[in-house]
Amino acid sequence: MKKTLLFLFTFLFFANSDAQNIFKDDFSTYTINQELSGQGPWSNSPIFPNVGIGACLPLSASEPCFGTKVIGQSVSYPSYGSSINSILLGPVQDGVARAITPIVAGGDLYLGLVLNITSAPTTAGSPVDFLRVINSDATQVTYRLLVRDAGFGYNVGIRKGASNNATVYTGSLFNYGENVLVILKYSHLNGPDDDIVSAFINPIFGDGEPANPNITNADGFDQSGAIDRVAFRMNYNVAASMPTGVLGLVSTSTTWEGLSFLPLGVNLFEANNVTISSVLENGQLQISSKNIMNNVQMKLYSTTGALLEQKMVNIPTGNSPIELVSKLSSGLYIVQLYDESGEKSSFKIITK
């Protein structure tokens, strides 16, 4: 039986389409000048749905607390994304969080966000974390993000696990009042205290993950478990310990490429003049190429990341069929091709 294959997208923007995004939130659909808690999946409830991190701590009993607000300040970063809204960053606000679903209990977890810092605490002010990634035990934090003033700019810091663990700061300074992309990577390893948190600051995002992060930190016991929450800890009541500014474009993924907010588009493999027909005929995928391509590795995935088929193929010039062993039901699938140099091309197809 013939099944029609329609191109949902011709090619992906990146050369990697096994990108497994967990969530992306640009805050663009939320009401500005209102609390983030209660909008979308964000909550400041420490009880149900158990994603919050506690109520605001006022400076004194007579002073009010305010919830973290969505504001109409835009943030953007090349090849990563842009948004008309962001959220306020500062002290004496409610902590607010959202669940990571599915829970991440192994492998790598990437978290990206754009910061625009207007002030940062000094070392004497004892900087505290304003972002926490938390595991399923409400008392344990997997890793934290901090900033501290450095005179003509600020440093970005990361800390693993407990609050008394060492914080590693960047040697480089970043400018106040500018959009800065921060990508945090948490790598689960096999030992009890060898997990690594890394930070990439202002990378050329479209070029893929850099070989070397700006900073790494493996200090302390692995309080990883099952990572299930991203929380913004704005509820600290020592103003001198908290930065001010805005943040936005928050994304989590199990791959670097999956963090992007940009729409899908053309990727580099199109330069090889390879196209794929819109019809799967008798279980065969029709490929047309203007170049001879030998020893091409082909992989077929479901959208859940399950590898359905893998084989080595030679692609001659002109039209040629690739027979698929897998029986594809209606739905979305991902095909990846690796040429002899290891360059990867990915695209999505949908069967009806």
Side-chain angles (χ1 to χ4, degrees):
M1 178 183 294
K2 295 182 179 180
K3 292 183 179 179
T4 302
L5 283 172
L6 303 177
F7 275 110
L8 182 64
F9 302 105
T10 306
F11 286 94
L12 290 181
F13 179 82
F14 293 101
N16 180 359
S17 192
D18 55 351
Q20 297 296 312
N21 183 265
I22 298 172
F23 76 75
K24 299 176 186 177
D25 207 330
D26 63 5
F27 310 120
S28 63
T29 61
Y30 299 162
T31 303
I32 64 172
N33 299 320
Q34 291 190 12
E35 292 187 22
L36 176 60
S37 180
Q39 301 200 63
W42 296 91
S43 173
N44 60 13
S45 170
I47 302 173
F48 184 82
N50 194 29
V51 295
I53 52 173
C56 176
L57 301 173
L59 295 177
S60 69
S62 62
E63 293 187 26
C65 276
F66 301 95
T68 304
K69 287 185 177 181
V70 179
I71 64 170
Q73 180 170 329
S74 63
V75 291
S76 63
Y77 192 81
S79 299
Y80 179 73
S82 62
S83 178
I84 58 173
N85 291 345
S86 52
I87 64 171
L88 278 174
L89 175 61
V92 201
Q93 304 179 75
D94 277 341
V96 64
R98 65 171 290 166
I100 291 177
T101 305
I103 293 171
V104 177
D108 294 332
L109 174 66
Y110 294 83
L111 186 151
L113 72 162
V114 174
L115 294 176
N116 192 308
I117 301 294
T118 54
S119 71
T122 64
T123 301
S126 301
V128 299
D129 52 282
F130 60 89
L131 178 143
R132 293 178 172 181
V133 176
I134 306 173
N135 77 10
S136 53
D137 182 335
T139 65
Q140 292 190 340
V141 177
T142 302
Y143 61 92
R144 309 159 191 258
L145 177 65
L146 308 85
V147 294
R148 72 176 181 192
D149 180 66
F152 294 100
Y154 64 91
N155 309 116
V156 176
I158 50 177
R159 182 191 306 153
K160 195 179 78 170
S163 59
N164 60 353
N165 284 343
T167 301
V168 175
Y169 286 97
T170 59
S172 302
L173 304 185
F174 303 94
N175 294 329
Y176 290 112
E178 292 185 0
N179 290 332
V180 172
L181 176 63
V182 177
I183 296 179
L184 304 176
K185 177 183 180 181
Y186 191 86
S187 299
H188 291 88
L189 301 178
N190 295 327
D193 57 1
D194 58 354
D195 288 2
I196 301 172
V197 58
S198 306
F200 303 85
I201 320 296
N202 281 346
I204 302 175
F205 184 78
D207 286 353
E209 181 177 342
N212 298 305
N214 293 73
I215 47 174
T216 61
N217 192 348
D219 184 79
F221 182 74
D222 298 341
Q223 294 186 161
S224 52
I227 300 175
D228 68 353
R229 276 164 293 166
V230 170
F232 295 111
R233 182 189 185 236
M234 313 293 195
N235 60 329
Y236 198 67
N237 61 353
V238 179
S241 297
M242 290 289 292
T244 62
V246 300
L247 64 87
L249 294 170
V250 182
S251 180
T252 61
S253 175
T254 57
T255 65
W256 176 278
E257 294 82 2
L259 294 171
S260 175
F261 285 80
L262 297 181
L264 301 173
V266 175
N267 93 342
L268 298 176
F269 206 75
E270 192 178 23
N272 288 326
N273 296 313
V274 175
T275 59
I276 293 181
S277 71
S278 61
V279 178
L280 180 65
E281 299 182 359
N282 300 319
Q284 293 180 334
L285 188 64
Q286 300 295 321
I287 292 184
S288 177
S289 176
K290 294 183 179 180
N291 302 318
I292 296 175
M293 301 176 63
N294 293 320
N295 301 315
V296 175
Q297 185 179 46
M298 189 202 77
K299 295 182 180 181
L300 174 68
Y301 288 93
S302 71
T303 54
T304 64
L307 179 62
L308 304 177
E309 190 168 334
Q310 177 176 335
K311 63 173 66 179
M312 298 297 295
V313 296
N314 294 323
I315 301 175
T317 57
N319 297 323
S320 59
I322 295 179
E323 186 166 352
L324 300 179
V325 176
S326 303
K327 303 296 182 181
L328 302 182
S329 57
S330 297
L332 183 65
Y333 298 89
I334 298 167
V335 176
Q336 294 180 346
L337 299 177
Y338 297 75
D339 64 17
E340 287 186 299
S341 68
E343 182 181 354
K344 178 168 63 175
S345 171
S346 302
F347 51 90
K348 291 184 180 180
I349 55 178
I350 188 169
T351 68
K352 289 188 175 181

